[in-house]
Amino acid sequence: MGKLVIVGTVAFDAIETPFGKTDKILGGAATFIGLAASHFNIDAAAVSVVGGDFPQKYLDLLSDRNINLEGVEIVKEGKTFFWSGRYHNDMNSRDTLVTELNTLADFNPVVPENYRDASVVMLGNLHPIVQSSVLDQMTKKPDLVVLDTMNFWMDSALDDLYNVIKRVDVITINDEEARQLTGEYSLVVAARKIHAMGPKYVVIKKGEHGALLFHDDNVFYAPALPLEEVFDPTGAGDTFAGGFAGYLAKTNDISFENMKNAIIYGSTLASFCVEKFGTERMQNLSNDEVHKRLLQFKQLTQFEIELG
């Protein structure tokens, strides 16, 4: 079983959807990734930064899930990163209302010594220079580096993004971002162009329409589980990434065939995340519930067909 390093924000979110709104609640990419990865009982460490206003109970929540927090810097006189957004009725599009970088503005990640030989590194959505600095600290080349990014960095730090993309094995982005990064509408052509940038594997997330995995000429598609209620999509992509990276760290198998399983685990965990606001559902999720939903996924996607 390998070690997993998780890099990303540990933050406050305030969310408004057609189903209600929240005050400041626990959020951040590293939080969602860590909660998802914790279901695999792996040796994981979070690398992030928070301010003195960040409650100890939230740190305890993460450490209780066996997530090492040595790499989480606490700036006592600073404030924690805060994001606020409002989702439209379709729950796929949203408006950002507030972004306060606070301590994140000067964040210099430090990977704990004991995790610089980690087999899997999950680079959550941060400035590409910050993501690169994490890779610079690793004492051996990880077996797998997974990168998540977004259109904001394509608009504001494209050269830096190209530089870090060259160094990763897997990139996870949504369909809109894949099209922006490559200038191609066809996701098959877009994936081929991203392959040429460096990553061996390209994961394109399509929200409620599932996810695509590309590797050379191979393509795998995992649907999203049809849900009765979607309360809050915030963190679903990070939860997907945490399930994906956590499963691969647990199984120590980075073949294309095993990545198919990782995609299904990631999709399964993400399907729980959207059922409540913020991290609420992930905090109380049992392994038994995950197992039952995996069986639902299996029934949804498997069939026999007579080939004439």
Side-chain angles (χ1 to χ4, degrees), residues 5-26:
V5 167
I6 299 162
V7 187
T9 52
V10 174
F12 292 127
D13 289 340
I15 300 154
E16 189 175 333
T17 79
F19 300 101
K21 61 191 295 188
T22 71
D23 293 322
K24 278 188 179 181
I25 56 173
L26 176 61

Side-chain angles (χ1 to χ4, degrees), residues 85-219:
R86 179 190 297 124
Y87 285 87
H88 299 177
N89 286 337
D90 65 1
M91 297 290 275
N92 285 323
S93 51
R94 69 188 185 193
D95 299 319
T96 292
L97 304 178
V98 180
T99 301
E100 296 175 2
L101 290 177
N102 297 329
T103 53
L104 194 66
D106 301 311
F107 176 43
N108 290 309
V110 178
V111 180
E113 288 284 347
N114 196 35
Y115 288 87
R116 294 187 178 186
D117 61 350
S119 57
V120 180
V121 175
M122 178 66 233
L123 298 173
N125 177 28
L126 286 170
H127 195 293
I129 289 177
V130 173
Q131 294 173 322
S132 287
S133 74
V134 170
L135 298 181
D136 293 340
Q137 294 175 52
M138 305 306 289
T139 54
K140 74 175 185 69
K141 190 177 186 305
D143 296 333
L144 194 75
V145 179
V146 185
L147 172 88
D148 190 31
T149 191
M150 69 183 297
N151 48 10
F152 178 79
W153 306 119
M154 297 172 199
D155 294 333
S156 63
L158 187 58
D159 287 342
D160 295 324
L161 181 58
Y162 283 145
N163 287 335
V164 73
I165 286 175
K166 288 178 193 170
R167 304 176 65 182
V168 309
D169 303 292
V170 184
I171 184 170
T172 72
I173 51 177
N174 68 30
D175 45 0
E176 176 193 340
E177 292 156 351
R179 289 174 174 131
Q180 179 175 341
L181 185 60
T182 62
E184 298 288 348
Y185 184 80
S186 162
L187 295 180
V188 176
V189 178
R192 193 179 302 131
K193 279 198 169 182
I194 297 170
H195 277 312
M197 296 175 190
K200 302 182 196 73
Y201 302 90
V202 178
V203 177
I204 299 180
K205 300 171 288 186
K206 291 169 62 65
E208 63 180 324
H209 303 297
L212 289 156
L213 169 67
F214 296 89
H215 172 59
D216 294 333
D217 293 325
N218 300 308
V219 184

Side-chain angles (χ1 to χ4, degrees), residues 4 50 59 114 196 201-202 234 238 266 275:
L4 171 65
V50 295
L59 295 171
N114 196 35
Y201 302 90
V202 178
T234 311
D238 295 316
E275 291 181 340

